[in-house]
Amino acid sequence: EAEVAQSPRYKITEKSQAVAFWCDPISGHATLYWYRQILGQGPELLVQFQDESVVDDSQLPKDRFSAERLKGVDSTLKIQPAELGDSAMYLCASSLGPDRGPYDFGPGTRLLVL
Amino acid sequence: DAKTTQPPSMDCAEGRAANLPCNHSTISGNEYVYWYRQIHSQGPQYIIHGLKNNETNEMASLIITEDRKSSTLILPHATLRDTAVYYCIVRRNTNAGKSTFGDGTTLTVKP
């Protein structure tokens, strides 16, 4: 069964360093989402892509976060510089379309900023 | 997108049915109800979704009230492996189909 792939699974970094997360959605899924999940809370949408275009990044802290999906397939989320409050699980999800099919979530990347 | 309200926690005895409620009183006509669950340290897993009719699959049943303002996820025979956080979300069937996750219900299945 096809799955959303994410790497790395775990990342420890020091504040002010740069970090990057990678996501490979299920083949054929045009819509890709990045979520941040703080311990004990539900996932919060950071950015939504439709193919290679950003559809919604209203909750993305653009002074330090950036996301791209250059060829409309895999995607990278970057944080520079990382802050202590960025410690969280970063989840990638994909779906056939924004209005089609359930989200398929990846296993997530757990980030710890020291 | 409509917001949802769920109880923060519930317990269920192993082998019994688990009924998880969700309130979505501001749901609009073009919004679906989706349920996901998240087992500790894993990504959320899709369970079931519906618009206005009741739905059943191999994992669960979804009962949506006639006015669509609330729904109930039913796990007919809960097992210890069903212990997880369960999220109810609503999602538009349009190009702006993003969803807002609340904090979900932590279901604990006890022996």
Side-chain angles (χ1 to χ4, degrees), chain B residues 10-21:
Chain B
M10 293 181 62
D11 290 342
C12 177
E14 188 178 19
R16 303 296 295 268
N19 297 287
L20 293 93

Side-chain angles (χ1 to χ4, degrees), chain A residues 4 25 66 108:
Chain A
V4 176
S66 64

Side-chain angles (χ1 to χ4, degrees), chain B residues 2 9 18 22 24 26 42-44 48 54 60-61 65 72 75 84 97 110-111:
Chain B
S9 64
C22 179
H24 32 79
T26 59
Q42 299 180 20
I48 198 167
N54 298 336
S61 295
T65 58
T72 301
L75 307 178
K110 298 184 175 180

